Amino acid sequence: MSATSELGRRQLLRHIGTALAAGTVTGIVPAAAQGTTPSASPEPRASFGPLKRVRAGDLEVAYAEAGPADGKPVLLLHGWPYDIHSYVDVAPVLAGAGYRVLIPYLRGYGATRFLTDATPRNGQQAALAHDAVAFLDALKIERTLVAGCDWGARTACILAALWPARCKGLVSVSGYLIGSQQANAMPLPPKAELQWWYQFYFATERGREGYARYTRDFARLIWELASPQWRFDDATFARSALAFDNPDHVAVSIHNYRWRLGLAQGEARFDETERKLAAFPTIAIPTITLEGDANGAPHPEPAAYARKFSGRYEHRTITGGIGHNLPQEAPRAFAQAVVDVDGF
């Protein structure tokens, strides 16, 4: 174990002791020591403090920040249909361990806004990755730990693959998620296709109108299907659902899924990035992948992507009925993975 890793662990333990005394968190334990019962959501935790904003690339990005300004940066990226509150219980633990935690709203979510009406409301994977790089540039962050779930995990993987000098370590829920239109053109077995029902729904104008009209109902259904044992309450969902009121949320979401199937065009400025991603580059930086034992969303098996990580690598399956939104359902295990990969 490096001296830096040992220091981080000592800081983490001090934070846990303080938090336990205050009754605010239950602390971090190794993944193997997680509870064996489904994660129940207690009274909704406090949200983040006032958001910060920065102009970055095509966007004015709204983001939450926690921890010391001179701490080692950690970029946490959320997915669809979730928001920054996926990390509401992860952030204070990492901040207490001395990390500078940065959690931006993706394009089409929360208070993040496009700078001009002329910018396409593009949801392709390369666009989100360039957003993340622009965000780091705007904050003058040269190197960061990067972690994510769902769309955020895909973006984190892209950063690690194509901008490895910017990434100290990677934590990715559901593993290697880089895709391509060419690969997505190949049909899957029927049971696998069934899991993507909403992607095919979004391919139609009926689906676009349906998502626009019933955004919150749709998102809640996805939460329930993707995390069948997560007992979140109405207030927990409502806190995140505010992010879907963004005026560009529907357009970005629909474009993301249509682009995957080749039914919508991407932007020419991202063609070179997509060409590189279509080769499915390996990831050489230290990585921990995570999977919940009750993930109801489409996801690959760990054995299918292990060889895509050529550096120091570890996979952890988090037990106890943990579903797709792993950072929010098992925040201690997620935070532990960030600390551990920092010490690799």
Side-chain angles (χ1 to χ4, degrees):
M1 181 184 297
S2 69
T4 301
S5 177
E6 179 60 26
L7 176 61
R9 288 178 182 276
R10 288 201 301 268
Q11 291 172 323
L12 195 59
L13 289 171
R14 284 200 300 272
H15 169 66
I16 290 169
T18 301
L20 283 171
T24 56
V25 298
T26 54
I28 283 187
V29 296
Q34 293 291 305
T36 57
T37 58
S39 174
S41 177
E43 290 300 315
R45 302 290 177 89
S47 189
F48 297 100
L51 295 177
K52 297 184 176 183
R53 288 172 171 78
V54 64
R55 288 197 168 200
D58 296 330
L59 307 170
E60 181 179 74
V61 179
Y63 66 101
E65 181 170 350
D70 61 350
K72 187 178 298 183
V74 180
L75 178 63
L76 303 179
L77 299 166
H78 71 81
W80 174 90
Y82 305 97
D83 82 322
I84 63 174
H85 291 94
S86 288
Y87 303 104
V88 70
D89 292 327
V90 173
V93 179
L94 292 177
Y99 292 94
R100 180 188 181 190
V101 185
L102 302 161
I103 314 170
Y105 276 112
L106 303 185
R107 55 171 58 197
Y109 292 81
T112 289
R113 294 290 187 272
F114 286 90
L115 294 176
T116 72
D117 292 337
T119 304
R121 273 39 179 176
N122 180 355
Q124 74 180 106
Q125 61 180 356
L128 274 71
H130 281 268
D131 287 348
V133 173
F135 178 69
L136 294 176
D137 288 344
L139 295 182
K140 297 181 170 56
I141 294 173
E142 293 299 322
R143 197 162 183 246
T144 182
L145 295 159
V146 60
C149 182
D150 195 81
W151 288 17
R154 178 174 296 106
T155 301
C157 286
I158 293 171
L159 293 182
L162 300 188
W163 288 273
R166 306 295 296 271
C167 304
K168 185 179 187 300
L170 167 68
V171 174
S172 177
V173 176
S174 297
Y176 186 94
L177 296 180
I178 295 172
S180 75
Q181 288 181 321
Q182 296 93 325
N184 289 339
M186 296 298 295
L188 300 172
K191 287 185 178 180
E193 295 282 24
L194 179 62
Q195 288 190 299
W196 287 106
W197 64 272
Y198 55 88
Q199 181 172 248
F200 299 110
Y201 180 62
F202 287 167
T204 69
E205 281 305 295
R206 177 188 175 96
R208 185 201 60 77
E209 176 61 26
Y211 189 56
R213 184 175 299 186
Y214 303 110
T215 307
R216 293 194 179 198
D217 292 339
F218 201 101
R220 183 156 189 150
L221 176 61
I222 295 296
W223 280 36
E224 292 167 352
L225 294 175
S227 299
Q229 297 185 46
W230 181 28
R231 297 191 294 274
F232 62 89
D233 59 21
D234 291 344
T236 298
F237 176 75
R239 182 180 58 186
S240 289
L242 291 172
F244 313 144
D245 294 338
N246 182 293
D248 300 305
H249 176 74
V250 172
V252 170
S253 299
I254 296 298
H255 184 269
N256 176 284
Y257 288 101
R258 290 185 178 182
W259 178 87
R260 296 189 198 193
L261 294 178
L263 301 176
Q265 293 295 317
E267 293 179 72
R269 59 181 170 144
F270 299 131
D271 285 352
E272 179 60 18
T273 299
E274 293 295 353
R275 185 191 65 77
K276 293 176 181 177
L277 295 175
F280 299 106
T282 57
I283 293 173
I285 69 169
T287 298
I288 293 176
T289 57
L290 301 174
E291 188 59 82
D293 65 338
N295 185 359
H299 62 279
E301 290 300 318
Y305 54 70
R307 292 184 179 179
K308 301 306 295 183
F309 301 100
S310 60
R312 182 169 177 183
Y313 171 68
E314 180 181 327
H315 175 77
R316 299 175 181 178
T317 296
I318 311 303
T319 61
I322 303 303
H324 187 61
N325 189 15
L326 190 150
Q328 197 165 353
E329 297 176 60
R332 291 178 292 147
F334 189 90
Q336 186 71 66
V338 173
V339 173
D340 289 347
V341 83
D342 184 29
F344 276 8

